[in-house]
Structures are given as C-alpha cells and as structure tokens.
C-alpha cells in the first residue's frame, strides 16, 4: 500500500479492512515522509507497532464475480 492511501484510510470515518501479514489491523496514524504507519490488531489495541506501509494490504469485500474492464 502507498503511504497516501494508508493516510486516507486512517483519516476515513469508514471502516476499511486492512491487513498486516494476514492479520486485520487498525491504522492509528501514518508518517508519509518515513513511509510508516502506527497500527494495532483490531482485537488487541494494546499491541501497537510501527510498520512500513508497503506491507499493509487493503482488503476488498466486493463481489468477486464482477469484472472491471
């Protein structure tokens, strides 16, 4: 994920699913210049850590049968 997209997600009022190596996480804040994000697992807010944004994955919950052309 790019830093600007991570910041959009962190600033969004909507719940957007993001994972860190398969674990659903919440993005607390993003440092665009450093390319890092402060995250924690959704169910364990006490386990905050700083990670590179490029390892975060946005999960898409759309219909897999819909193709975009």
């Amino acid at each position: 994920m790019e830093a600007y997209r991570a910041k959009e997600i962190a600033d969004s009022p909507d719940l957007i699913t993001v994972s860190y190596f398969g674990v659903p996480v919440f993005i607390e804040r993003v440092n665009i210049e450093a390319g890092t994000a402060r995250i924690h697992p959704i169910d364990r807010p006490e386990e905050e850590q700083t990670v590179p944004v490029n390892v975060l994955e946005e999960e898409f919950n759309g219909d897999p049968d819909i193709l975009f052309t």
Side-chain angles (χ1 to χ4, degrees):
M1 171 178 305
E2 294 185 8
Y4 286 103
R5 179 60 183 146
K7 178 132 178 58
E8 285 177 351
I9 291 171
D11 293 343
S12 175
D14 299 323
L15 178 60
I16 300 169
T17 305
V18 175
S19 65
Y20 174 66
F21 294 110
V23 176
V25 296
F26 181 79
I27 302 174
E28 290 287 340
R29 61 187 168 278
V30 177
N31 182 328
I32 291 176
E33 292 79 26
T36 59
R38 190 77 179 155
I39 64 165
H40 65 77
I42 297 284
D43 59 347
R44 294 184 310 276
E46 70 281 0
E47 293 183 19
E48 276 195 27
Q49 60 183 311
T50 300
V51 300
V53 294
N54 64 352
V55 299
L56 298 175
E57 301 258 339
E58 184 173 356
E59 303 292 325
F60 296 97
N61 298 321
D63 187 342
D65 294 332
I66 297 175
L67 299 176
F68 296 95
T69 57

